[in-house]
Amino acid sequence: MKKTLRRTGDASADVAWERYMDPSLWSTWAPQIMGVDASTDRLAAGTTGTVRGPLGVRVSFEVHSVDEAARVWSWRAWIGAPSAGLTLEHGVDSAGSGSSTWLVVDGLAPLVLGYSPTALFALGRLVRA
């Protein structure tokens, strides 16, 4: 199943993009993230790591692509087997004096539907000034 989520806010596109590119900032806008251990300080194709969630949940990830000029990146995140995870594609666009962000979540329907409300909330915080 594929689902697209969108949010718009007052943060500039540059600010929102940097919040994505620096994994140490993810917990500042995504309340479900307690911390991130990443193989690089800035996301790039091939970056791997673990997202630490509530109750000790650990989600592995690998970044597939990053296009800085287009402000688009994609990755796969999973618990257990990579084949049972989610593929996520993110983007940031300018929207007036603020920004708009979108996320395409692709995976098994229960995972996509279960993750979507949390992701939508986090995206709103990503683009908040």
Side-chain angles (χ1 to χ4, degrees), residues 51-68:
V51 174
R52 296 186 313 275
L55 304 173
V57 172
R58 297 179 72 78
V59 179
S60 300
F61 71 87
E62 180 176 8
V63 176
H64 292 167
S65 65
V66 175
D67 183 336
E68 294 263 5

Side-chain angles (χ1 to χ4, degrees), residues 17-48:
W17 180 249
E18 287 307 312
R19 288 174 179 166
Y20 269 143
M21 290 296 96
D22 182 348
S24 72
L25 296 177
W26 290 2
S27 63
T28 66
W29 56 269
Q32 74 275 18
I33 296 177
M34 307 291 108
V36 178
D37 301 311
S39 63
T40 61
D41 291 335
R42 185 171 184 82
L43 294 187
T47 298
T48 59

Side-chain angles (χ1 to χ4, degrees), residues 94-119:
S94 294
S97 63
S99 61
S100 176
T101 189
W102 52 266
L103 164 62
V104 178
V105 184
D106 187 6
L108 298 172
L111 294 174
V112 172
L113 295 173
Y115 180 64
S116 292
T118 301

